[in-house]
Amino acid sequence: MFDYTGSFQSAIAALKRERCYRVFADLERKAGQFPYALWNGPGGSRDVVVWCSNDYLGMGQHPKVIEAMCAAARAMGAGAGGTRNISGTNRALVELEAELADLHGKEAALVFTSGYVSNHTGIATIARLLPDCLILSDALNHNSMIEGVRAAGCAKQIWRHNDLEHLEELLSRARADRPKLIVFESVYSMDGDIAPLERICELAERYDAMTYLDEVHAVGMYGPRGAGMAERDGVMGRIDVIEGTLAKAFGTLGGYIAGGTAIVDAVRSHAPGFIFTTALPPAIAAAATAAIVHLKTSGKERAGQRRAVAATKAALREAGLPVMASETHIVPVMVGDPDLCKQASDLLLDRHGIYIQPINYPTVPRGTERLRITPTPAHDLRLIGQLAEAMVSVWHKLDLPLGSDYPERTPQLWNLGARWAATARTQAIPTNRP
Ligand code: PLP
């Protein structure tokens, strides 16, 4: 008899041997008290401060967002009732798509059940609809994009992370009249670096390639209306497809693409990940719309986040902690060892009531395990001071180096990251960054 259970047990044991086994913290967010949450730990429940949430602006608890969700649920019920084709296209979704198209200055937008699904099915469908398409994908793209490229089944080339010379070399080698799709992110969420959007657009125009940009870690937070890095850099009109999530700075759930009518309609009509699945519930769509509408005109949350990020980076650096160079709201602090990273996270939670999840392989390359901190407008100077103190005490306890000049070493990490991403692809290891 085949040992089914044994197969699963040995898969788990392998992860444990590799020190990649993940343990989730059981948290209960407290509406109205962001960034506090209740941690249901071994000794019972207690309050902790969450320092690693992707609800980057706290919009998941904004009164307007909560009210929109409740009102829509009261008016339209809990579920969508079907796929978009079979009675699932509700008014709230139609309004959300109009709001998203307007946000990105595009003709149309299409909503999916997650950012993961939008990348997976969006990239695969767009590439499949272009005859003999060549996909050019950044080496550090998120797993949802890698899987989308894989599902497209067409030729692909990986360009070294943010390396424009390499991208140009690959573009110039391709036949001039061959359809080409450049797939990349604006903000890379583990290092917090930004793609050179304008220069990628120039290359795309020179070599007649289409551009597909993932703005998951930028929408809501960058640009005057929160449309992302492409808005900030003034290149939104030069990007063919912008993909984003409703689950991070917009505080809810779902993903989308925005682009020209023909592209969006083609994806709507051909993408299995859109056609064959139940639509987002109206309450979620209405809540997301409320967050987008609010952030289009309110700069308060963005300004608050910028202040908290600058103060956190300064406080941690001053305390001698190895803060990695990051141009964005993401503040990675290097540990460089999976066990120590987990222990640091455990100590912060147990002894200091601070939750920062450890980021280990395969999310980041081995040897670059880190704590990834995401300050929000709700993290004030008192909390920032407590964080710095707690981290220094944990660093002492674990005998981790303080006072090292980490930013100098970051470019090497990117190369390491590119090598790791290549390995992960060939070995089909999920590079499942959050
Ligand atoms: N794209 C990137 C770059 C991501 O980091 C993530 C998830 O964290 C996704 C897409 C998927 O988005 P979602 O969480 O909405 O599925």
Side-chain angles (χ1 to χ4, degrees), residues 319-322 333-335 340 395-396 398-404 409:
L321 289 151
V333 179
M334 183 54 64
V335 178
L340 289 170
W395 250 244
H396 281 309
L398 297 176
D399 211 11
L400 285 164
L402 280 164
S404 50
R409 286 155 59 197

Side-chain angles (χ1 to χ4, degrees), residues 119-139 141 144-159 166-167 170-171 174 178-184 209-212 425:
N119 273 336
H120 186 277
T121 205
I123 293 171
T125 304
I126 291 166
R128 264 195 258 111
L129 293 174
L130 298 169
D132 192 28
C133 179
L134 170 66
I135 301 182
L136 298 134
S137 179
D138 184 284
N141 277 341
S144 54
M145 305 169 85
I146 295 172
E147 290 301 328
V149 170
R150 202 197 302 271
C154 61
K156 65 160 192 282
Q157 286 176 339
I158 313 298
W159 44 295
H166 193 211
L167 175 60
L170 298 177
L171 281 166
R178 183 175 194 183
K180 296 170 273 289
L181 181 65
I182 305 176
V183 177
F184 59 114
M210 239 185 99
T211 42
Y212 180 105
R425 259 187 309 279

